[in-house]
Amino acid sequence: MRKIKKELIETCKYLEQKGYINAVDGNVSIKVNDRIFITPSKMRKSTLKPKDIAVLDLTGKQIAGSKSASSEALLHIKSYQLRADISAVVHAHPTFLTAHAICGKPVKTDAFAEMIAVFKEIKVAAYGRPGTTHIFDGVAPILATDNAVLLGNHGAMVVGKDLQTAVNLLEAAETSTKSLLIASLVGEPKPIVKDELAFLKTVEY
């Protein structure tokens, strides 16, 4: 249990250093068997101690931890309930992804090979009130098939088979989104030829 909490805390420090989460934004969790380890509410993630990590059962009941679980715990719980292959959830607010979420604009391209191969498209879920079950209403149909989703007027969320996979995916999504914006400022992105584009869309990440 201590090893899991340490991984969660070290990951939070990394995400804060990257500017993806801050004192009030973002939450991270890991599911191990029938337990969910999740960051607490209203605490700077880089200062967390093992005792601060909230531990929930699969129904969302807190069974350990000196602090209350994140207000977005429902988003995590329902993600784990939706797909058995998910063992980590990261909800963050990286600048470029969040800008797309605020504008309700999906991240997609026909000119960036890596973006297409990894994500195909990062879709936007309909707005749902933070901290309620409604935030998951728009997420569920996207998360059923995708590992990254933009939360309308809110931020971004990624899932993975483990925490490192989820973090890697978040970083790739943010970097790709930033590159696409800069490319649009540099000039007109050059589309990839149709046959190659079709191939990239079949790649499984």
Side-chain angles (χ1 to χ4, degrees):
M1 183 180 292
R2 188 170 183 83
K3 182 179 178 181
I4 297 166
K5 291 181 177 181
K6 182 180 179 181
E7 181 185 7
L8 200 58
I9 292 168
E10 290 303 313
T11 297
C12 286
K13 289 179 180 178
Y14 177 77
L15 292 172
E16 188 165 325
Q17 288 170 357
K18 295 289 291 186
Y20 294 169
I21 61 175
N22 59 45
V24 297
D25 291 339
N27 30 83
V28 184
S29 72
I30 303 174
K31 181 174 78 70
V32 180
N33 299 321
D34 60 350
R35 296 288 182 265
I36 298 171
F37 298 79
I38 188 168
T39 50
S41 179
K42 299 176 182 177
M43 285 192 70
R44 181 172 287 281
K45 312 304 182 295
S46 61
T47 64
L48 293 176
K49 306 297 182 186
K51 65 182 177 63
D52 300 324
I53 300 299
V55 184
L56 315 177
D57 66 18
L58 298 183
T59 70
K61 178 182 178 181
Q62 185 161 340
I63 55 179
S66 63
K67 307 294 182 182
S68 297
S70 167
S71 60
E72 295 291 6
L74 286 172
L75 184 63
H76 296 249
I77 294 165
K78 286 187 169 292
S79 298
Y80 294 126
Q81 292 172 345
L82 180 69
R83 282 173 46 191
D85 63 318
I86 296 175
S87 293
V89 176
V90 178
H91 168 214
H93 296 79
T95 302
F96 294 92
L97 286 169
T98 301
H100 273 256
I102 291 170
C103 293
K105 184 177 180 179
V107 182
K108 56 183 179 179
T109 180
D110 60 0
F112 187 5
E114 284 72 17
M115 166 67 197
I116 299 165
V118 176
F119 299 101
K120 313 308 187 271
E121 174 184 352
I122 306 176
K123 304 179 184 78
V124 184
Y127 173 79
R129 182 176 295 176
T132 71
T133 58
H134 298 298
I135 194 172
F136 195 72
D137 292 344
V139 171
I142 299 174
L143 193 63
T145 57
D146 298 359
N147 292 323
V149 57
L150 297 175
L151 309 177
N153 302 95
H154 194 160
M157 173 182 160
V158 295
V159 300
K161 63 181 181 180
D162 53 47
L163 190 52
Q164 189 60 60
T165 298
V167 171
N168 290 348
L169 200 62
L170 179 67
E171 192 164 3
E174 175 70 351
T175 302
S176 294
T177 305
K178 180 179 180 180
S179 295
L180 289 172
L181 174 61
I182 294 173
S184 70
L185 299 175
V186 170
E188 185 69 28
K190 183 180 179 181
I192 295 169
V193 295
K194 289 184 178 180
D195 287 349
E196 183 63 13
L197 192 61
F199 166 75
L200 290 170
K201 290 181 178 179
T202 67
V203 174
E204 292 293 330
Y205 175 73

